Amino acid sequence: MFVIMHLLTLKNWTPEQIEEVIDKSIEIKRKPDEYRTALKDKSLAMIFQKTSTRTRTSFEVAMTQLGGHAIYMDWRTTNLVLADIRDETKYLSRNVDCIMARLFKHADLKAMAEASGVPVINGCDEKYHPCQAISDLMTIKEKKGRLAELKLVYIGVHNNVCNSLIEGCTKVGMEIITVTPMVNESSLDEELLEKAKRTGLYKTTKDVKGAVEDCDIVYTDTWVDMEFFLDPKFKEEKEKRIKLMMPYQVNKELLKGSDALIMHDMPMHRGYEITGDVVESPNSIIYDQSENRLYSAKGILLKLSGKT
Ligand code: CP
């Protein structure tokens, strides 16, 4: 039986598959001309229920540079707003070769994948952001030459990005310590955390200074998810979060004596989770990390289309 490979989370991906995509992404970045026609005549449907800069840009440019074509679909302007997600997906997968979707609910992505005759990529939902984690690991491997036996500290709200980082790091042998005094309830996945703990590579602490002391990478993310950032109904919660999270800001004082690389998946909020001087500091690899979304999108698309 032919099994379609999806990328909804990294749960069903083996360490070898993750490393293969990372290595392929690095190779594609080095030798882009060798992949100019790799997805010739192929089409990607990109469905967005939420805003995006990097995910949309990277996948659209990736398809163009691989010789294929991407279709941007704002959820609100499609008949997904009024029809069954499974029916619409069944149709879509008869016209396109791959679907990438950024949806509010992971359950909807699962429904899409079940109905689809082509690979489905999670472009970020409330629980996971696997494309970001692959790009992050690619960037770390590029900078450090390896992934195993490094130590990454994630400081911020426990969210979808944090979940996928935990999955990714523990699978490739990297230690990950989270400093997350707040949790986005909708992102909770106890099974993922339990599995990660069993590897011995994942721990959580409130001691932010101690965690940073001997780590290789400091990673932070927004304290407020994109769908709530400008929502007046979320104003009170946003203010509460800022007050609680400010002692965990990634700033020069926290990083004193550390030579850790600094990462952020963007969009950033300077002066909140990270200060501007740290964003612009020599150890910051934030813009390389965001640039690598393009090459890792290519690596993911090739892997799912069976071209690696
Ligand atoms: N990091 C990330 O996914 O960026 P966008 O939300 O802009 O796509």
Side-chain angles (χ1 to χ4, degrees):
M1 195 180 73
F2 178 69
V3 179
I4 300 166
M5 188 174 187
H6 303 288
L7 177 56
L8 301 190
T9 82
L10 294 174
K11 271 183 196 172
N12 298 327
W13 281 48
T14 64
E16 292 74 25
Q17 287 169 328
I18 296 170
E19 294 253 15
E20 182 195 331
V21 171
I22 291 166
D23 291 342
K24 180 57 80 177
S25 305
I26 292 171
E27 186 189 306
I28 297 168
K29 184 175 180 179
R30 285 189 191 136
K31 301 174 190 165
D33 288 343
E34 291 185 14
Y35 296 88
R36 293 272 179 224
T37 58
L39 292 184
K40 188 172 180 295
D41 297 333
K42 302 289 183 194
S43 295
L44 170 73
M46 306 193 303
I47 302 163
F48 285 87
Q49 264 184 335
K50 301 190 266 184
T51 55
S52 168
T53 306
R54 278 145 292 276
T55 304
R56 176 183 176 178
T57 307
S58 58
F59 274 93
E60 192 160 337
V61 174
M63 283 304 288
T64 304
Q65 293 185 356
L66 293 171
H69 172 242
I71 308 154
Y72 173 74
M73 303 168 81
D74 180 336
W75 175 276
R76 292 162 302 180
T77 64
T78 70
N79 283 328
L80 281 156
V81 289
L82 50 86
D84 185 292
I85 193 167
R86 287 183 173 79
D87 291 336
E88 292 297 289
T89 304
K90 273 184 192 164
Y91 151 67
L92 268 179
S93 69
R94 285 176 176 228
N95 272 192
V96 302
D97 304 280
C98 189
I99 297 169
M100 189 274 288
R102 170 170 285 193
L103 306 184
F104 289 117
K105 296 279 171 219
H106 186 67
D108 284 341
L109 270 149
K110 276 167 81 172
M112 265 190 159
E114 279 160 21
S116 180
V118 297
V120 175
I121 300 169
N122 181 354
C124 187
D125 59 37
E126 87 282 21
K127 286 191 185 302
Y128 314 107
H129 198 353
C131 299
Q132 184 64 52
I134 288 176
S135 184
D136 298 340
L137 294 173
M138 174 201 168
T139 309
I140 295 167
K141 189 154 189 185
E142 226 185 0
K143 301 289 175 190
K144 293 280 191 187
R146 70 185 206 285
L147 293 170
E149 290 163 26
L150 293 174
K151 181 170 158 186
L152 181 147
V153 174
Y154 174 92
I155 305 169
V157 172
H158 189 113
N159 62 10
N160 43 12
V161 168
C162 181
N163 276 341
S164 291
L165 265 180
I166 291 170
E167 282 188 317
C169 289
T170 52
K171 288 209 173 191
V172 300
M174 193 189 298
E175 196 179 344
I176 175 163
I177 316 287
T178 62
V179 186
T180 52
M182 280 202 91
V183 178
N184 282 350
E185 294 293 331
S186 60
S187 75
L188 268 182
D189 182 340
E190 292 295 349
E191 185 196 320
L192 179 152
L193 299 181
E194 281 310 312
K195 202 170 168 193
K197 272 183 199 150
R198 285 199 294 275
T199 66
L201 292 168
Y202 161 59
K203 290 186 191 69
T204 187
T205 177
K206 290 239 168 73
D207 177 11
V208 65
K209 193 72 191 162
V212 164
E213 242 161 40
D214 63 341
C215 76
D216 301 290
I217 302 123
V218 169
Y219 193 120
T220 188
D221 188 16
T222 181
W223 295 336
V224 180
D225 268 6
M226 63 185 79
E227 59 265 45
F228 303 118
F229 204 82
L230 300 173
D231 185 346
K233 291 199 287 295
F234 207 75
K235 189 170 177 280
E236 210 176 300
E237 174 67 16
K238 193 170 154 185
E239 280 162 11
K240 192 176 109 194
R241 285 182 178 218
I242 290 168
K243 204 166 154 207
L244 193 130
M245 294 302 298
M246 215 32 127
Y248 299 88
Q249 182 186 61
V250 175
N251 56 34
K252 277 268 159 72
E253 178 59 28
L254 175 70
L255 298 169
K256 208 180 269 176
S258 165
D259 64 354
L261 297 176
I262 308 300
M263 300 182 79
H264 189 308
D265 55 298
M266 301 180 82
M268 293 183 280
H269 305 100
R270 290 172 185 232
Y272 292 95
E273 69 270 13
I274 192 164
T275 53
D277 53 357
V278 171
V279 172
E280 303 299 341
S281 68
N283 279 14
S284 165
I285 56 168
I286 293 168
Y287 295 111
D288 296 330
Q289 178 188 358
S290 59
E291 180 193 340
N292 282 344
R293 288 294 305 272
L294 170 62
Y295 312 108
S296 56
K298 291 184 185 182
I300 292 164
L301 288 163
L302 291 184
K303 175 70 185 164
L304 296 187
S305 60
K307 298 273 184 176
T308 53

